[in-house]
Amino acid sequence: MFAATFLRLLSVSFLAVTYVLAAQNSLQQVTNFGSNPTNVGMYLYRPNGLAANPALIVAIHYCTGTAQAYFSGTQYANLADSLKSFIVIYPNAPDSGGCWDVHTSATLTHNAGGDSLGIASMIRYAISNYGVDPARVFVTGTSSGAMMTNVLAGAYPDLFAAGSAWAGVPYSCFSGPGMWNSACATGQLTKTAQQWGDLVRNGYPGYTGPRPKMQLWHGTQDETLNYNNHLEGIKQWTNVFGYSSTPVSTQSNSPLSGWTRNTYGPNFQAISAPTTHNIPVQANEVLTWFGLIGGTPGTSSTTVPPTTTQTSTTVAPTTTRGPTQVQYGQCGGIGWTGPNVCASPFTCRVINDWYHQCL
């Protein structure tokens, strides 16, 4: 009963934030893409005018979500249309509840099976069949999808250049006999940094190559996956990268007012937001971390004083386009064709050239 309630909360909280999807094309289902023991669905988005040797983003949905829901509920397809430099794969979970297998030993181990192997096969297929640049493969996801992001970064480090996990838990935190792990979800599962790091290293025994850069995002008021999971994730990835547990830089109000970005080294960032589990995904920030737009956020060697605030500019559109946009929704930016006026009392503010947001 409690597990069912948890899984319901894990999913419905993300229904509050919706976006206007103006993607040029629809999703394309791909079958027979390789080893797929749990029957994970593969859905592909390719923009018109795609550049040669594109990058690839794997965007993974939350519990009870679908590939289509994450396609419609995030901005990755619209940004792909604007940039023409990457394609997006939206995996679809085979579980009847729409959650990902992030708990079995198979999924947690390189090429051993589980949902993670199905997703790895999609990536290998895309590299072979769509000309994807193997050095520019990235993964991101929300909630259960964030858990899978951590799983893939641990079990398949050879496939990814970077990951960005939104409101998830550390690699192997949900390990156990069932889809749900109450000790992890409620923040009661704690380990040393070495123990967490060893779990990641054991995901691909004998692997000595580079690890994907990692970026963790979490709401300090998360009522579904306790904020302690963020702190345990910091232990894990600082150990994997050999970084100190003390940030080398801290940026307040980054990327939004009240949010705090801690950078521990060039390959790891952790961002806390004053939100519940329903943390609004900042797709432009994810692409910046992946190196697909702009620089790399928060990697300045100079510590930003806590009083420093990132400035934003209110957009004053000369013409109103489309219906009003909701809070946290996109309202402008290069290539944006959706609504450019926010519902009251929110205003459209410039975050960067590519992304304006209702705040």
Side-chain angles (χ1 to χ4, degrees):
M1 170 77 124
F2 185 64
T5 301
F6 164 77
L7 293 176
R8 178 179 60 81
L9 288 172
L10 194 62
S11 61
V12 299
S13 59
F14 288 100
L15 302 181
V17 178
T18 58
Y19 298 97
V20 174
L21 183 69
Q24 296 169 342
N25 303 311
S26 59
L27 287 179
Q28 169 193 354
Q29 185 173 10
V30 180
T31 58
N32 300 318
F33 51 82
S35 181
N36 186 21
T38 60
N39 198 31
V40 178
M42 177 180 177
Y43 291 84
L44 177 73
Y45 185 79
R46 284 191 286 187
N48 296 334
L50 181 67
N53 304 119
L56 168 64
I57 294 177
V58 180
I60 309 176
H61 66 75
Y62 44 84
C63 249
T64 75
T66 62
Q68 181 66 47
Y70 213 54
F71 167 65
S72 302
T74 56
Q75 288 299 307
Y76 299 115
N78 288 338
L79 289 166
D81 287 341
S82 298
L83 297 171
K84 315 291 188 187
S85 61
F86 65 91
I87 64 175
V88 190
I89 287 176
Y90 297 89
N92 198 78
D95 177 69
S96 60
C99 299
W100 293 100
D101 167 18
V102 294
H103 67 283
T104 67
S105 59
T107 204
L108 290 166
T109 306
H110 185 80
N111 283 346
D115 291 354
S116 67
L117 178 56
I119 298 174
S121 295
M122 297 176 196
I123 295 164
R124 292 161 177 159
Y125 182 88
I127 291 171
S128 297
N129 292 274
Y130 305 131
V132 164
D133 181 352
R136 294 190 300 145
V137 176
F138 310 98
V139 60
T140 186
T142 300
S143 193
S144 184
M147 300 184 201
M148 179 54 78
T149 297
N150 276 281
V151 167
L152 290 166
Y156 295 90
D158 55 320
L159 292 181
F160 299 100
S164 183
W166 292 75
V169 302
Y171 172 90
S172 196
C173 192
F174 259 47
S175 176
M179 294 285 287
W180 171 73
N181 186 311
S182 61
C184 179
T186 56
Q188 298 177 48
L189 186 59
T190 61
K191 298 180 183 292
T192 66
Q194 183 68 39
Q195 289 171 330
W196 280 123
D198 285 345
L199 287 171
V200 169
R201 287 180 284 271
N202 290 338
Y204 189 173
Y207 178 74
T208 59
R211 298 279 172 178
K213 299 194 320 179
M214 284 298 292
Q215 188 183 58
L216 305 182
W217 303 74
H218 214 104
T220 57
Q221 303 162 34
D222 195 318
E223 75 288 12
T224 304
L225 296 174
N226 189 276
Y227 180 69
N228 187 60
N229 284 299
H230 188 61
L231 304 179
E232 296 299 300
I234 291 171
K235 288 184 190 177
Q236 183 168 69
W237 290 106
T238 51
N239 179 266
V240 169
F241 291 116
Y243 294 156
S244 167
S245 59
T246 302
V248 295
S249 74
T250 296
Q251 292 173 282
S252 296
N253 303 305
S254 175
L256 300 176
S257 178
W259 297 40
T260 301
R261 185 194 309 269
N262 286 317
T263 299
Y264 296 84
N267 293 325
F268 181 56
Q269 289 185 349
I271 300 93
S272 299
T275 70
T276 62
H277 192 55
N278 189 19
I279 184 171
V281 173
Q282 311 296 305
N284 61 308
E285 283 285 330
V286 175
L287 264 62
T288 304
W289 179 245
F290 292 167
L292 296 176
I293 60 175
T296 301
T299 56
S300 170
S301 59
T302 303
T303 300
V304 179
T307 55
T308 299
T309 302
Q310 287 191 336
T311 59
S312 60
T313 304
T314 301
V315 178
T318 56
T319 58
T320 300
R321 184 175 64 239
T324 56
Q325 181 61 288
V326 297
Q327 183 185 19
Y328 301 125
Q330 186 172 0
C331 54
I334 296 173
W336 175 248
T337 58
N340 61 352
V341 175
C342 301
S344 179
F346 309 109
T347 55
C348 190
R349 299 187 180 276
V350 176
I351 305 302
N352 60 37
D353 288 345
W354 297 96
Y355 194 82
H356 307 171
Q357 189 172 40
C358 290
L359 299 171

